[in-house]
Amino acid sequence: MDLEFLQSVDVQILVGVAVAVLAIGVAAAYLFSSRKSKGCLDPENYKEFKLVKRQQLSHNVAKFAFALPTPTSVLGLPIGQHISCRGKDSQGDEVIKPYTPTTLDSDVGYFELVIKMYPQGRMSHHFREMRVGDYLPVKGPKGRFRYQPGQARAFGMIAGGSGITPMFQVARAILENPKDTSNVHLIYANVTYEDILLKEELDGLVAKYPGRFKVYYVLNQPPAVWDGGVGFVSKEIIQIHCPAPAPDIQILRCGPPPMNKAMAGHLDALGYSPEMQFQFCP
């Protein structure tokens, strides 16, 4: 057989192998970089996001929308986790506080925070002073909660005040995921009707997912006409409006520290084991 012919065949084989190896390398690099770049958060370093919209919802509550780098970018925050936000208080001192966005990664190009601003709140001062065009330093993700579709047959949620934000995020993720058939039962406590955050959105989920999502509002100072709960969340309210203790249910809670402590006592007394309970707030 002609030696020159054999040499040309060898060269073609080598070139073909080299091209294949190069193609595999490029594909692997692309996959690695795309996985690595998914999400805009950095758990170690603060990244700044521009405020593009501010909507006042009440005298002390506002919704803040922050732009992500591109219209198709996602924040990359796992369901049920939160971010650390950095700002300055009224004295100019640095303050850091955790917040849970009300948006999911299905909301591309931006993320939203619903913030209740307290008169003496140090981070509240920073958000009160924020204007469109300002930047918010953010770091994350943070948190211990891990959501997996179908991890529970039913979720009970007990929230107070601004503790509704992680509940809303988790509820949306469950209900909007076609692979998750879990039912969600939310008890949401506040002082007055005006204090109820995300009420329009919560009622919208009730209407969109009838039978799967239920909300029971509890007010300490209800209006004259009111068909919800009155006073504080009691053991009886939990018995009626949360799934009964069982290995395949989970109770989530988030509210002010005194409320969290009281709810833990109620849940223990009703027979909910520690494995059935998760607290978002410290």
Side-chain angles (χ1 to χ4, degrees), residues 34-43 47 49 66-70 72-84 99-101 103-112 138-143 145-146 169:
S34 64
R35 284 175 183 170
K36 186 177 179 182
S37 64
K38 177 173 171 54
C40 301
L41 291 172
D42 186 327
K47 299 177 70 173
F49 297 94
F66 296 90
L68 297 176
T70 74
T72 57
S73 296
V74 297
L75 186 60
L77 184 69
I79 302 303
Q81 297 196 17
H82 59 268
I83 55 177
S84 293
Y99 291 96
T100 304
T103 43
L104 304 176
D105 278 355
S106 55
D107 305 305
V108 297
Y110 72 100
F111 72 94
E112 290 182 343
V138 169
K139 182 168 70 172
K142 308 282 186 179
F145 186 77
R146 297 290 185 272
Q169 186 203 63

Side-chain angles (χ1 to χ4, degrees), residues 39-65:
C40 301
L41 291 172
D42 186 327
E44 303 298 330
N45 303 294
Y46 282 95
K47 299 177 70 173
E48 295 196 340
F49 297 94
K50 184 178 181 180
L51 178 64
V52 292
K53 184 178 180 182
R54 172 177 173 151
Q55 180 185 359
Q56 202 69 27
L57 302 180
S58 71
H59 72 285
N60 65 348
V61 178
K63 182 188 291 184
F64 297 81

Side-chain angles (χ1 to χ4, degrees), residues 235-257:
K235 284 191 291 185
E236 291 72 26
I237 288 176
I238 295 173
Q239 277 185 306
I240 295 170
H241 297 283
C242 280
D248 58 352
I249 68 97
Q250 191 165 22
I251 305 294
L252 312 179
R253 61 178 188 265
C254 188

